[in-house]
Amino acid sequence: MSLPPLKRVLLKLSGEVLMGDQQFGIDPTFVAELAKEVKAAKDTGLEICLVIGGGNIFRGMAGAAQGMDRAQADYMGMLATVMNALAMQNALEQLGVQTRVQSAIQMDQVCEPVIRRRAERHLEKGRVVIFAAGVGAPYFTTDSGAALRAAEMRCDALLKGTSVGGVYDSDPKRNPAATRFDTVTYDKVLADNLKVMDASAVALCRDNQIPIVVFSIREKGNLARVLAGEGVQTIVQDN
Ligand code: UDP
């Protein structure tokens, strides 16, 4: 199994990678490093859509576990993703990369609403489009938002940059003997409940035949290596 030629990709970054070595929030120095990786990928001619999670600031499930109303907590989580999107926009523009943020929750003073055709034009003009606020509804995650935007923007792959090097048969942070898959099918991910993305996101990618590439974004230069088909990664797709 290998990837098709990539012209347009959706890069999903979990919120926690924006923390750098902190325990919470946004580390601007680390965001600047991430932005350099994104710029290097863009400079190869790729069209890039970005989705950033909010887990470094607030997760709805965590709020609900502490007694909050789940939907209310999820809206707070969605707002957290907008803050991360603005932080990444700032870092990219400091490197001279043109960007637009489109949010699924309308916030006219800070960003555009999600408008697919407008996003297409931005990509044609060489801008990076950062999609914020997930799907804009509670009980979802930014993984589902990423799969949805990858499908509607007809991306050739969904690249999931996370803090581990791919998909493992068990949690590599807890089990040192965990084994990484080079490739794995969507159906195995779903049947074995492997920790890649939530099930609705994986199913949406499967139904639209969008390969998912899981890799560690914490190592410098890794995004470029993964795009070149090198480096440590797991590709989720059908045989
Ligand atoms: N969220 C939501 N709907 C969405 C996307 C996100 O309700 O479509 C909320 C949800 O509470 C989630 C939080 O936003 O926990 C942050 O997103 P996520 O957990 O996906 O961030 P990540 O784990 O990627 O950092």
Side-chain angles (χ1 to χ4, degrees), residues 12-16 53-56 58-61 73-75 77-78 81 133-143:
K12 157 79 207 289
L13 301 179
S14 42
E16 60 180 32
N56 54 322
F58 196 82
R59 277 205 180 90
M61 293 267 262
D74 277 341
Y75 279 110
M78 284 183 261
T81 73
V135 306
Y139 297 95
F140 284 93
T141 65
T142 49
D143 282 345

Side-chain angles (χ1 to χ4, degrees), residues 18 26-39 87-88 90-92 94-95:
L18 271 61
I26 298 170
D27 176 350
T29 313
F30 198 74
V31 178
E33 288 300 320
L34 290 171
K36 279 188 205 157
E37 302 259 330
V38 175
K39 180 178 187 309
M88 180 54 81
N90 179 74
L92 283 168
Q94 283 181 344
L95 296 174

Side-chain angles (χ1 to χ4, degrees), residues 1 5-6 31 47 61 69 84 104 107 109 111 120 123 131 134 154 161 175 206 216 225 229 235:
M1 290 197 279
L6 302 178
V31 178
E47 293 179 347
M61 293 267 262
D69 173 71
N84 285 337
M107 262 182 244
Q109 279 77 4
C111 57
E120 282 283 351
L123 293 172
F131 292 103
R154 297 187 307 279
N175 176 10
R206 178 192 61 192
S216 168
R225 281 193 290 279
I235 303 177

Side-chain angles (χ1 to χ4, degrees), residues 122-137:
H122 291 324
L123 293 172
E124 279 166 21
K125 289 182 178 170
R127 296 172 183 147
V128 170
V129 181
I130 308 172
F131 292 103
V135 306

